[in-house]
Amino acid sequence: NPDINVITTYHPGGLDVAFTDPEWGAATAAQAIDQGADIVFGAGGKTGNGALTEVANRTTAERPLYCIGVDTDQWETLPEAHACLVSSAMKLIPVGIEDIVKQYVEGNAPTGNFYGPVGLADFHDFADVVPDAVKEELATIAAQLTSGELQTGVSLGGPAEEEVELRPLRIGLVTDVGEVDDRSFNQSAWEGVLAVVEKIGGEANYIETQDSTDYANNIAEFAENGYDVIVTVGFALGEATVQAAAEYPDVYFIGVDQFYTDAPPNAIGLVFHEDQAGYLAGVLAARLSKSGTVAGVYGTDLVPPVVLFARGFEAGAKATNPDINVITTFHPGGLDVAFTDPEWGATTAAQAIDQGADVIFSAGGKTGNGGLTEVANRTTAEKPLYCIGVDTDQWETLPEAHACLVSSAMKLIPVGIDEIVTQIAAGNPPTGNFYGPVGLADFHDFADVVPDAVKEELATIAAQLTSGELQTGVSLGG
């Protein structure tokens, strides 16, 4: 609302009193109410609590007032504010501590600054006061903020803040045996490289790997020729990437889908919570299925991210409909063929359809594309079939699947590459593993097929997964 009036008041005292002065908080909230405010955000320890309690004391049925707490779900900690407390703006500190300690226990302690998740708390007794449309809007905005699609435009420096100078970089990308225009995984990474080079300046080139024995030579081709950053795409290149990082300490390496436990500081693993993206796809599939059978067609289970996609899909579908039948099939070949076999993908999708599946999640480069295209060829008005793509918004890259493609379970690889390379260009490179965002793509022509209630459910689940409030229950060990 561009016309809204926002009254902002900071405590005038120093750090020794500013967060322990509930009387000032109450008096300031009262002044704001007297100036017409009907919603007050109280943030400041005991000072903020004083403001929230004052709003609760002033609210009436004739003139309802609302308040919003901070840091934690204050419904659980400040019952005096229940009369007005519609939600809280949370910093999920326990989740952040858990993530850091977990990485430390796993032998991969993060360094520098670690950003923990944030989010809004439950609406509790005000669930019926907040309209469903507003809940959906908030969940969508939360997902967009997390993915980087939406920016707040806020900084501590204000409009006059000096921008950090980004130095141009030469960036080389090495694919796995899949081609750069696979319209899925490799292409998504390459598009991310092109986009960030356009932003910061520099040069971008790629090498398509023809055989796994060429990994080291392809990486060295860039490293020996003055490239600043080398992006290697895929789990299979992990060992070669770590070895190259040790050999070329002045070059930064970004390993997409490569989780590092013992790597040089110039090697950065760009990894994703594939189980969360798969979970969202599973929820969507279960909601759309009329037959009660859905299927997943995947590349090899030798690649952990593929397994996480598959198990996440199963978990999301089962959580939505415990009785649903999930058919899961991995390509039986090795890394050299599992992602470049569209014929197997098509045949396997056809078999799943013949077994009653009416929604198919197909994840595996060109192999997965074969599955999606087969579903598109088999769908009819009398027996509609749906498919879900992977890695990128495949609506933009695989028009052959438009007849069935309701959405895609995305790893926002371009966003992750942009963030890492931008930090390198600014002279502040990250270290260790960097988690990129995930999410579902737009529904495009199927926007009217997916009920509004399901859209709202998916947006809420996405926000809960991001905040840590909801866990997929998926691991590689079980």
Side-chain angles (χ1 to χ4, degrees), residues 431-448:
T431 60
N433 295 305
F434 185 101
Y435 277 92
V438 300
L440 283 183
D442 192 89
F443 301 118
H444 297 289
D445 287 359
F446 292 86
D448 292 336

Side-chain angles (χ1 to χ4, degrees), residues 100-394:
I100 294 172
V101 172
K102 181 179 178 182
Q103 290 188 39
Y104 179 83
V105 170
E106 292 173 347
N108 185 42
T111 59
N113 296 312
F114 184 98
Y115 279 92
V118 299
L120 283 183
D122 193 89
F123 301 118
H124 297 289
D125 287 358
F126 292 85
D128 292 336
V129 174
V130 181
D132 289 342
V134 173
K135 294 174 185 173
E136 181 178 347
E137 178 185 21
L138 288 168
T140 300
I141 289 173
Q144 291 173 332
L145 288 169
T146 299
S147 72
E149 180 183 351
L150 176 64
Q151 301 289 329
T152 64
V154 171
S155 71
L156 290 174
E161 180 182 21
E162 183 178 350
E163 291 188 8
V164 176
E165 183 176 353
L166 302 177
R167 68 183 179 99
L169 297 170
R170 299 184 73 203
I171 305 177
L173 179 139
V174 178
T175 75
D176 199 349
V177 291
E179 297 171 349
V180 77
D181 62 348
D182 64 356
R183 299 192 280 186
S184 181
F185 188 58
N186 286 320
Q187 183 169 330
S188 182
W190 177 236
E191 289 173 351
V193 169
L194 290 176
V196 76
V197 165
E198 182 177 355
K199 181 175 80 171
I200 68 173
E203 176 187 347
N205 286 295
Y206 66 84
I207 296 174
E208 292 180 329
T209 300
Q210 303 302 314
D211 188 277
S212 59
T213 58
D214 298 329
Y215 291 156
N217 289 336
N218 291 344
I219 294 170
E221 179 69 21
F222 286 127
E224 294 284 353
N225 284 282
Y227 280 75
D228 304 294
V229 179
I230 299 173
V231 180
T232 63
V233 187
F235 168 80
L237 280 85
E239 183 177 351
T241 302
V242 170
Q243 291 175 351
E247 187 174 350
Y248 303 100
D250 295 330
V251 179
Y252 288 101
F253 292 83
I254 302 173
V256 181
D257 268 5
Q258 298 166 32
F259 186 92
Y260 300 141
T261 56
D262 185 16
N266 57 321
I268 304 149
L270 175 55
V271 292
F272 301 86
H273 292 294
E274 290 89 358
D275 58 313
Q276 295 183 4
Y279 191 97
L280 290 166
V283 173
L284 175 60
R287 291 299 185 204
L288 291 178
S289 178
K290 302 298 183 185
S291 69
T293 295
V294 299
V297 176
Y298 304 105
T300 175
D301 58 3
L302 298 174
V303 175
V306 175
V307 176
L308 289 172
F309 266 131
R311 292 183 179 174
F313 181 74
E314 293 169 3
K318 291 285 188 181
T320 306
N321 175 8
D323 298 322
I324 201 165
N325 178 34
V326 183
I327 302 170
T328 300
T329 313
F330 292 97
H331 193 287
L335 293 172
D336 55 334
V337 296
F339 297 94
T340 57
D341 192 352
E343 292 78 14
W344 181 89
T347 299
T348 305
Q351 291 172 347
I353 293 169
D354 293 340
Q355 293 176 58
D358 56 357
V359 185
I360 293 181
F361 177 37
S362 199
K366 289 190 173 182
T367 302
N369 293 352
L372 299 175
T373 304
E374 179 66 18
V375 180
N377 291 338
R378 293 278 295 268
T379 188
T380 64
E382 295 73 28
K383 186 185 177 184
L385 303 174
Y386 304 107
C387 62
I388 301 171
V390 79
D391 288 335
T392 187
D393 183 351
Q394 292 205 268

Side-chain angles (χ1 to χ4, degrees), residues 19-60:
F19 296 92
T20 56
D21 191 351
E23 293 77 13
W24 181 90
T28 304
Q31 290 173 351
I33 293 169
D34 292 340
Q35 293 175 57
D38 55 0
I39 304 177
V40 176
F41 178 34
K46 291 185 176 182
T47 302
N49 292 352
L52 300 176
T53 304
E54 178 67 19
V55 180
N57 292 337
R58 292 279 294 269
T59 187
T60 64

